[in-house]
Amino acid sequence: AQSVSQHNHHVILSEAASLELGCNYSYGGTVNLFWYVQYPGQHLQLLLKYFSGDPLVKGIKGFEAEFIKSKFSFNLRKPSVQWSDTAEYFCALNRDDKIIFGKGTRLHILP
Amino acid sequence: DTGVSQDPRHKITKRGQNVTFRCDPISEHNRLYWYRQTLGQGPEFLTYFQNEAQLEKSRLLSNRFSAERPKGSFSTLEIQRTEQGDSAMYLCASSLAPGWANEKLFFGSGTQLSVL
């Protein structure tokens, strides 16, 4: 069963637009959630993570994500995107000691 | 470069041949993961090690796939009798664990396998 669902497969925005990428998870245990990013030609790297405490977590490059337990969601946001944010974004969940990834959202920012 | 390194970067093979990939994790990392990624999909978990112990192997993984981490440092992933469906990017990642506050995967560049 798919543990992590990313609904937007491909998003195109203009620079300075606001961004929200959806992520829903299905897991009954304690959740640890992540967003990873892969810039063109680069390795996957961690953008931000949630383990406990404040459900609003801030990551690198102005990104943030909010854990909403009642909605099983962990959406990624950025108030104003830049051309350099063009990348593929993966939501991930720690399940049974493994990191399970969603299918990813390809974000394309128009200059 | 002190990151995760994978070798080779690209591998082209004929159906039925065996292939082996190598991953060198970050030196102090005790966990090592193998993932497979195809176009339009996220990384799919294959297996992982804590030190030299293989803790889990995906149930979806064919028995043609085997992985080792003999000294708790580098790891190899072997695919026997390759099939065209094995064509994918094979990613290795390492992390410091346990301790979820430390749980951050560092990925290598991957090995792109093409089975003809």
Side-chain angles (χ1 to χ4, degrees):
Chain A
Q2 181 68 38
S3 296
V4 181
S5 298
Q6 293 183 244
H7 310 298
N8 313 105
H9 298 298
H10 196 180
V11 173
I12 301 173
L13 295 172
S14 297
E15 274 193 309
S18 64
L19 169 72
E20 182 161 3
L21 300 182
C23 172
N24 288 93
Y25 67 91
S26 56
Y27 183 57
T30 301
V31 289
N32 304 129
L33 294 157
F34 310 82
W35 276 96
Y36 279 80
V37 61
Q38 188 167 26
Y39 297 103
Q42 295 188 26
H43 307 174
L44 272 160
Q45 58 184 284
L46 182 68
L47 200 55
L48 50 78
K49 59 186 178 183
Y50 169 79
F51 288 100
S52 63
D54 190 344
L56 185 64
V57 293
K58 295 189 184 297
I60 60 172
K61 304 188 180 185
F63 285 91
E64 64 179 32
E66 186 174 12
F67 170 56
I68 303 179
K69 189 174 180 179
S70 61
K71 295 184 178 180
F72 298 91
S73 69
F74 189 57
N75 293 354
L76 181 71
R77 300 195 294 247
K78 185 171 183 179
S80 176
V81 295
Q82 301 172 305
W83 177 80
S84 58
D85 293 324
T86 293
E88 192 155 16
Y89 293 80
F90 296 93
C91 185
L93 164 75
N94 180 318
R95 189 192 73 192
D96 300 329
D97 218 26
K98 302 178 295 293
I99 308 298
I100 306 299
F101 289 84
K103 292 186 177 182
T105 297
R106 191 174 294 273
L107 175 65
H108 187 73
I109 306 300
L110 302 173
Chain B
D1 189 341
T2 57
V4 177
S5 61
Q6 293 187 244
D7 183 70
R9 292 291 300 272
H10 303 275
K11 178 70 177 178
I12 300 173
T13 191
K14 291 183 179 179
R15 187 164 51 94
Q17 298 295 304
N18 299 344
V19 295
T20 300
F21 310 140
R22 177 180 170 122
C23 171
D24 287 90
I26 293 172
S27 59
E28 63 269 27
H29 284 183
N30 48 15
R31 283 214 175 159
L32 186 149
Y33 298 79
W34 285 100
Y35 286 86
R36 176 172 60 190
Q37 187 176 19
T38 53
L39 206 60
Q41 302 293 318
E44 174 194 3
F45 169 80
L46 296 180
T47 188
Y48 81 109
F49 294 83
Q50 175 134 336
N51 300 315
E52 66 276 7
Q54 187 173 17
L55 296 186
E56 187 170 342
K57 182 176 172 180
S58 171
R59 289 175 295 170
L60 301 176
L61 202 59
S62 162
N63 55 15
R64 297 182 295 105
F65 288 69
S66 61
E68 293 182 341
R69 195 183 183 197
K71 297 180 180 179
S73 56
F74 74 92
S75 176
T76 57
L77 177 69
E78 181 182 15
I79 309 174
Q80 295 182 325
R81 305 181 303 281
T82 53
E83 301 173 357
Q84 288 184 325
D86 298 330
S87 296
M89 176 72 81
Y90 289 84
L91 296 170
C92 176
S94 69
S95 73
L96 272 173
W100 299 120
N102 293 326
E103 190 61 45
K104 172 181 175 179
L105 295 180
F106 291 81
F107 281 87
S109 298
T111 295
Q112 181 67 52
L113 173 66
S114 297
V115 181
L116 305 179

